[in-house]
């Protein structure tokens, strides 16, 4: 089946530093990838839609300068948390689909647990 | 607005019993897909089953089946012969044309399988 690889699986960083999270589709091309944030015992919250070759579309309330998204190829999207602060600590997860229609399942990476100290 | 509703924040089931996790959705679009994902405590999202709006039959995948009632706009997940490894959070997810083909998540149901 389709595989999405997300790296790193966990990261601890100091306040003020930046952290890059990678999301790769391993056996299919993904023109669109999605980035989510999840707080403990809550559902996934869509942060942004990453489109290959164009700017990402951010959801309302998500700071685009804080969460930089780059989708440079059909198999790789990156999320950079810039100048991280403790309130950015969360579980970040990406998803990708080989198709954009309603009946194309989305496959998820295993998530990245970010802790900012 | 597109919406997915899961009314059961937590469920308990005994091992080997069947359990139904509820999901209702709200859309005026004729074309949509409904998915169920399992999220164990380790965090990964595992795809379980899919039902398309035009599918005539209920989807089944091994021990998972989807009780799709289009007129009621419900897509309940049925897990048969529950196993301890089924303990996890379960999300009903819609990919609704009117939502730009983004996923819309329900709030999730935490399932615990007991001996």
């Amino acid at each position: 089946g389709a595989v999405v690889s997300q790296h790193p699986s966990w990261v601890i960083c100091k306040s003020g530093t930046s952290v890059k999270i990678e999301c790769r589709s391993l056996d299919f091309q993904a023109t669109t990838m999605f980035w989510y944030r999840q707080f403990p015992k809550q559902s996934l919250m869509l942060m942004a839609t990453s489109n290959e070759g164009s700017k990402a579309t951010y959801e309302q309330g998500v700071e685009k300068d804080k969460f930089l998204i780059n989708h440079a190829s059909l198999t790789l999207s990156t999320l950079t948390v810039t100048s991280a602060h403790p309130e950015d600590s969360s579980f970040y997860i990406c998803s990708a689909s080989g198709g954009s229609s309603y009946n194309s399942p989305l496959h998820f990476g295993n998530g990245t647990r970010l802790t900012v100290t | 607005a597109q919406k997915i509703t899961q009314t059961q924040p937590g469920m308990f089931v005994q091992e080997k019993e069947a359990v139904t996790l509820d999901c209702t959705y709200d859309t005026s679009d004729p074309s949509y897909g409904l998915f169920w994902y399992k999220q164990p405590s380790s965090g990964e999202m595992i795809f379980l089953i899919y039902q398309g709006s035009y599918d005539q039959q209920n989807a089944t995948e091994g021990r998972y089946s989807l009780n799709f009632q289009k007129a009621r706009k419900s897509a309940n997940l049925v897990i048969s012969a529950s196993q301890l490894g089924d303990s996890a959070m379960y999300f009903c997810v819609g990919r609704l044309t009117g939502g730009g083909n983004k996923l819309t998540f329900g709030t999730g149901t935490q399932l615990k399988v007991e001996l």
Side-chain angles (χ1 to χ4, degrees), chain B residues 35-56:
Chain B
F35 306 84
W36 278 91
Y37 287 87
K38 170 185 177 181
Q39 187 180 40
S41 57
S42 50
E44 69 268 32
M45 293 285 285
I46 302 167
F47 167 69
L48 297 178
I49 196 166
Y50 162 81
Q51 182 82 47
S53 58
Y54 297 111
D55 293 344
Q56 296 295 314

Side-chain angles (χ1 to χ4, degrees), chain B residues 16-114:
Chain B
K16 299 178 186 174
E17 297 291 310
V19 63
T20 298
L21 307 184
D22 294 341
C23 172
T24 57
Y25 58 94
D26 179 19
T27 180
S28 56
D29 288 310
S31 304
Y32 52 87
L34 296 161
F35 306 84
W36 278 91
Y37 287 87
K38 170 185 177 181
Q39 187 180 40
S41 57
S42 50
E44 69 268 32
M45 293 285 285
I46 302 167
F47 167 69
L48 297 178
I49 196 166
Y50 162 81
Q51 182 82 47
S53 58
Y54 297 111
D55 293 344
Q56 296 295 314
Q57 295 188 329
N58 287 346
T60 60
E61 287 288 347
R63 293 186 299 112
Y64 304 108
S65 60
L66 208 152
N67 184 0
F68 182 48
Q69 299 195 32
K70 198 169 180 177
R72 293 185 177 182
K73 292 189 176 179
S74 74
N76 299 339
L77 175 70
V78 180
I79 305 174
S80 62
S82 297
Q83 302 171 357
L84 294 177
D86 294 334
S87 295
M89 181 73 92
Y90 288 80
F91 290 102
C92 180
V93 184
R95 198 167 192 189
L96 309 172
T97 311
N101 283 319
K102 294 183 290 191
L103 294 187
T104 302
F105 283 80
T107 50
T109 296
Q110 182 72 51
L111 175 68
K112 185 162 176 58
V113 181
E114 300 174 315

Side-chain angles (χ1 to χ4, degrees), chain A residues 8-12 38 40 90-92 111-115, chain B residues 41-43:
Chain A
S9 56
W10 61 270
V11 58
I12 302 172
Q38 186 180 30
S90 192
F91 188 66
Y92 295 88
T112 298
R113 202 165 298 280
L114 170 64
T115 303
Chain B
S41 57
S42 50

